[in-house]
Amino acid sequence: MRRMVAENRLHPADLILPAFVREGIGEPVAISAMPGVQQHTLETLRKAAVEAVEAGVAGIMLFGVPADEKKDAAGTAGTDPDGILQVALREVRAEVGDDLVIMSDLCLDEYTDHGHCGVLDADGRVDNDATLERYAEMAQVQADAGAHVVGPSGMMDGQVGVVRDALDTIGKEDVSILAYTAKYSSAFYGPFREAVGSSLRGDRKTYQQDPANLRESMRELALDLDEGADMVMVKPAGPYLDVLAKVAEAVDVPVAAYQISGEYAMIEAAAERGWIDREKAIMESLLGIKRAGANMILTYWATEVARGIGREG
Ligand code: PBG
């Protein structure tokens, strides 16, 4: 009866798998702070995409990790049609077609030698408007490479509008925008920095949000919707369920939540020590995010969980 009257349940179609693909490696590279997650080769990425489809996962969010020598101040590899993310998008699209919603991270931090999400001005500060020009170009190469959805994640003001215009200009009106609307400057991104080989020193506090603020997220939300966001996201998920609930209540577009690297790492680490029940903790963490109002959840456990709930019905 408890099963029958449950107010919320997870479905494989709720889940989106974030995946990393690294240039110039012959074998996948394990990410030590995220046990079970790896930097893929193009070949293992294609395989992971097929496994996600078979498990019923809805989408995949791709992050490119360029070779170190390809990083520069402008993040050139991010707009190179032959850059690692664009190659990966083409290959995954060729492999799974429309069976998986293929999403791409639209941000410069993986490609810049200073590790910031944008280009810097003469004083070494992130230059918002100059960065928007780079994002416009990125949106176009990612859409050309086969992304169904682009996910601008750099938290520059005006990024959604600029990306929408850039896509429309090249006839990609059907490519959607998943806006990272409420993205907080979080300590829980720690393991991600290893995952993408980040060069960042310092922090992103001048463009990501202060964890103390809730109303600010509602302002970001209004701006993103006005600029043409098709879907909006709250990130991280677990420590920001109040933000998620408030956003979900306020909008009539689909709402995503990103269970990030640190949320993943904490459960894996505690489970490894026998301190918590791994499967139960994973399911509870995801159900909590669903209950708070997420239509879609980005989680590194997407394929595993989709397989599990598929079996139990
Ligand atoms: C920025 C980006 C980050 C994550 C996704 N996109 C890192 C950051 O903002 O510092 C973090 C994802 C995670 O921690 O799992 N391109």
Side-chain angles (χ1 to χ4, degrees):
M1 195 183 295
R2 219 170 267 132
R3 183 169 158 259
M4 181 177 77
V5 301
E7 294 173 37
N8 290 284
R9 52 174 61 88
L10 288 165
H11 188 277
D14 298 331
L15 305 175
I16 297 165
L17 176 71
F20 306 104
V21 57
R22 179 164 160 191
E23 188 174 24
I25 50 171
E27 295 292 326
V29 177
I31 301 164
S32 63
M34 301 175 74
V37 180
Q38 54 191 23
Q39 293 175 329
H40 284 291
T41 65
L42 287 163
E43 192 187 333
T44 64
L45 177 69
R46 284 198 306 271
K47 201 160 149 264
V50 170
E51 285 168 5
V53 171
E54 285 165 0
V57 167
I60 190 165
M61 171 66 82
L62 300 180
F63 293 89
V65 185
D68 274 344
E69 68 273 13
K70 299 264 177 74
K71 292 187 181 187
D72 58 25
T76 310
T79 46
D80 178 351
D82 295 318
I84 182 64
L85 181 54
Q86 284 66 255
V87 174
L89 283 165
R90 278 196 294 272
E91 292 205 7
V92 170
R93 183 73 187 259
E95 185 76 37
V96 300
D98 294 337
D99 291 343
L100 203 55
V101 179
I102 302 170
M103 310 184 172
S104 52
D105 183 56
L106 200 167
C107 192
L108 283 173
D109 66 316
E110 294 97 328
Y111 308 98
T112 51
D113 51 11
H114 46 73
H116 274 293
C117 293
V119 292
L120 306 181
D121 66 16
D123 299 324
R125 285 185 301 221
V126 173
D127 185 332
N128 190 91
D129 293 3
T131 301
L132 293 182
E133 289 173 27
R134 302 286 299 126
Y135 286 0
E137 215 183 310
M138 267 189 119
Q140 293 177 337
V141 292
Q142 292 179 356
D144 275 336
H148 295 110
V149 176
V150 295
S153 67
M155 292 303 279
M156 297 301 135
D157 292 337
Q159 63 183 10
V160 172
V162 161
V163 165
R164 184 70 271 158
D165 283 348
L167 291 170
D168 293 352
T169 305
I170 59 162
K172 297 283 183 186
E173 291 91 352
D174 56 350
V175 171
S176 303
I177 300 177
L178 169 57
Y180 282 62
T181 289
K183 181 172 177 185
Y184 286 87
S185 179
S186 173
F188 296 103
Y189 299 138
F192 178 90
R193 305 273 157 88
E194 178 194 343
V196 298
S198 171
S199 321
L200 184 71
R201 285 174 301 275
D203 59 54
R204 306 195 197 287
K205 286 184 183 154
T206 61
Y207 43 103
Q208 296 183 346
Q209 288 175 237
D210 184 339
N213 296 350
L214 173 60
R215 271 186 312 182
E216 185 181 21
S217 286
M218 303 316 283
R219 193 158 68 240
E220 293 281 357
L221 178 65
L223 289 168
D224 282 359
L225 291 174
D226 191 49
E227 290 173 29
D230 298 288
M231 304 170 245
V232 296
M233 193 199 296
V234 173
K235 177 183 180 180
Y240 297 89
L241 293 183
D242 58 329
V243 181
L244 178 57
K246 198 162 170 171
V247 167
E249 216 174 295
V251 297
D252 54 8
V253 296
V255 177
Y258 196 144
Q259 182 182 54
I260 62 161
S261 57
E263 297 177 74
Y264 175 92
M266 285 192 297
I267 291 179
E268 288 289 347
E272 201 179 285
R273 295 181 177 203
W275 289 351
I276 51 169
D277 181 318
R278 181 178 177 277
E279 277 75 36
K280 286 201 176 112
I282 292 172
M283 292 308 286
E284 189 177 328
S285 69
L286 291 169
L287 200 53
I289 295 167
K290 181 91 188 263
R291 192 189 61 241
N295 302 108
M296 303 96 78
I297 307 173
L298 288 90
T299 173
Y300 298 97
W301 289 302
T303 302
E304 177 186 335
V305 168
R307 280 185 187 134
I309 48 191
R311 264 200 311 275
E312 284 156 26

